Amino acid sequence: MTDVVDEPKELAFVKKAPPESYQALFQKAVALHTRKQFQEAEDLLSRLTSERPNDAQAWNVRGVNFRVAKRFGEAVQCYRQALAIDSQQPSIWSNLGNALKDLKHIESAIECHHRSLALNPNDAGSHHNLGIALTAANRHVEAISAFDRAIELNPNNPKPRWDRARGYLHFGDYEHGWPEYESRLFTGLLPKREEPGQKWDGSRYDGKRLLLVSEQGFGDAIWIARYLPQVKALGGELIMECRPELIPLIASMNVVDRLVPKADPLPDADYHFYQCSLPGLFTKSLNAVSNNAYIQPETHRMAKFAAAMERGNGKLRVGIVWSGSTTFEGNHDRAVSLAMFLQSFALPGVQLYSLQKGAPEAELQKYGSAAPVIDLAPLLNDFADTAAAIAQLDLVIMTDTAVAHLTGAIGKPVWVLLNFVPHWQWLLDRADSPWYSPMRLFRQRTWGDWRSVFDQASADLMRLVAERATD
């Protein structure tokens, strides 16, 4: 979720000139911060706040610097120090609210944004920040109202529209959500590119070439793959830009005419279309969602897992994934430790299989041969391999990552362990997913409440093992 207070706004009242020599040091600190030299900026800001401890501006800028460096607790202390000096600065209240939200002190964050708006009711950024904090509290109706006001005050800013879109989508309000979802293309969240040809409008393109442009994560690409047959049925040559790890999986669907690795230059085309805009063309309402399986694992890949699967004979074969991509900014809210999985799911009658890839694999290596998990990672070279492995499991239990979409897409049972405010695709307060029929959702009751999630899933797995034993 993108923070909306731009640096120039957070630093706006820096220009109230202190004495000249102090001013020069102050501006140097701001310049260092702007260049993302956060430690160098902190060294200078620490000196300035020591020399002028009653300068609210310096404390505020120091807080901004700490927050962008993800040192949220220190940012909170700086903002509070600034407010102790000058409590009438609405931007500092809003900055404090942002940092408290980062620490998951959500109600305190909301109160700070209300304090900011009491001082400056017509500030669009503060209304937007309030909406973000309300979203983090799962109070989506109120959040949408805050985004409405931010848009009313600054209709040219696409960021509150992007956040409002996801508010609508949490409710399954696709009529309002999909048009607003297009605002993501103008927020700066996607890299600027020269797309070939015209933007496709969803009409037939017989005899023409259509390029689907890659965006967002692996899970998003797997999620939208359901639409590829519909897109192909509308016309001529279909080209899809794709991350290399996904190319064999998408190729196995035998729909796309040509797959282009994401690192390669975009080919010429008559039309282009961003992939995550496809649901807006084909799924106009929640009732129109199809949850049929649409990816068939390749049988010739399955043999490489035979020895590993044989070790689970007579037991419930359960795949596990405990973390998504560590480069994703919000991964810390959805990832957990392997230890939690082992504590909850290494049960009699269960054989665990790790489908985890990437840096979190190292957690499993620490256990060595003592781990009650069969590590499939060395056999998983791409997502087509992962699909072939999943096809031979009875169940996958995992946090919210791309493998959840893959497991659902091939029609295998999957239990997804969700944080308090998960991705909008999982809607609100549901234990099932309209997108994938064999999926169950386990939700936190509040931020960080993984204990109740794992407790419920563990109990349900025990019941499943018991039912299997009586069959």
Side-chain angles (χ1 to χ4, degrees), residues 63-326:
V64 171
N65 191 65
F66 275 134
R67 181 169 182 255
V68 176
K70 302 189 183 305
R71 295 166 63 176
F72 304 127
E74 291 158 294
V76 165
Q77 294 307 313
C78 288
Y79 293 140
R80 285 175 172 163
Q81 183 65 32
L83 289 168
I85 298 164
D86 184 357
S87 63
Q88 299 304 302
Q89 288 289 344
S91 62
I92 305 179
W93 280 109
S94 193
N95 291 347
L96 175 58
N98 291 338
L100 287 168
K101 182 265 298 178
D102 295 328
L103 292 172
K104 300 299 186 287
H105 293 191
I106 308 299
E107 294 303 321
S108 297
I110 292 169
E111 180 59 27
C112 286
H113 293 309
H114 283 307
R115 293 288 295 273
S116 174
L117 288 166
L119 292 166
N120 188 2
N122 294 320
D123 184 74
S126 294
H127 283 284
H128 191 180
N129 287 333
L130 172 61
I132 290 173
L134 288 165
T135 297
N138 252 338
R139 292 158 60 177
H140 297 285
V141 172
E142 296 169 80
I144 289 172
S145 179
F147 297 140
D148 287 343
R149 183 60 176 150
I151 294 166
E152 180 183 352
L153 290 166
N154 186 6
N156 295 321
N157 184 0
K159 290 183 179 179
R161 294 186 183 277
W162 164 237
D163 287 318
R164 184 171 70 176
R166 290 178 291 173
Y168 288 135
L169 295 174
H170 267 105
F171 290 109
D173 181 355
Y174 295 162
E175 179 182 359
H176 294 94
W178 293 137
E180 294 270 273
Y181 195 65
E182 294 303 291
S183 62
R184 76 193 185 282
L185 303 177
F186 309 102
T187 60
L189 297 173
L190 298 177
K192 292 183 179 180
R193 313 179 71 179
E194 290 294 329
E195 300 92 354
Q198 305 174 39
K199 181 180 178 181
W200 185 48
D201 62 3
S203 59
R204 294 198 63 85
Y205 59 101
D206 299 275
K208 303 290 184 179
R209 176 184 287 175
L210 170 63
L211 169 68
L212 296 178
V213 182
S214 176
E215 58 172 312
Q216 303 190 49
F218 291 114
D220 299 285
I222 296 169
W223 165 61
I224 65 91
R226 69 183 64 231
Y227 298 108
L228 295 178
Q230 291 170 271
V231 176
K232 177 60 180 173
L234 288 173
E237 184 180 0
L238 178 59
I239 302 175
M240 182 176 178
E241 185 186 28
C242 195
R243 294 191 183 193
E245 299 92 333
L246 284 168
I247 286 178
L249 181 73
I250 302 300
S252 73
M253 297 177 69
N254 296 314
V255 176
V256 177
D257 296 296
R258 178 182 170 192
L259 287 158
V260 178
K262 189 166 184 179
D264 289 5
L266 293 177
D268 291 335
D270 300 289
Y271 302 102
H272 71 267
F273 201 69
Y274 276 87
Q275 295 171 16
C276 290
S277 294
L278 290 174
L281 291 180
F282 297 107
T283 306
K284 300 295 186 180
S285 69
L286 191 59
N287 292 332
V289 173
S290 170
N291 61 10
N292 296 326
Y294 53 91
I295 291 178
Q296 179 65 46
E298 297 175 294
T299 54
H300 70 85
R301 290 177 179 261
M302 294 185 184
K304 66 193 294 187
F305 303 100
M309 295 302 164
E310 187 175 353
R311 292 169 61 186
N313 284 349
K315 296 182 179 180
L316 193 73
R317 298 188 180 100
V318 178
I320 57 172
V321 182
W322 57 92
S323 176
S325 171
T326 54

Side-chain angles (χ1 to χ4, degrees), residues 454-467:
F454 277 81
D455 184 28
Q456 184 62 62
S458 180
D460 287 354
L461 183 60
M462 292 172 67
R463 296 186 189 100
L464 187 60
V465 171
E467 291 168 5

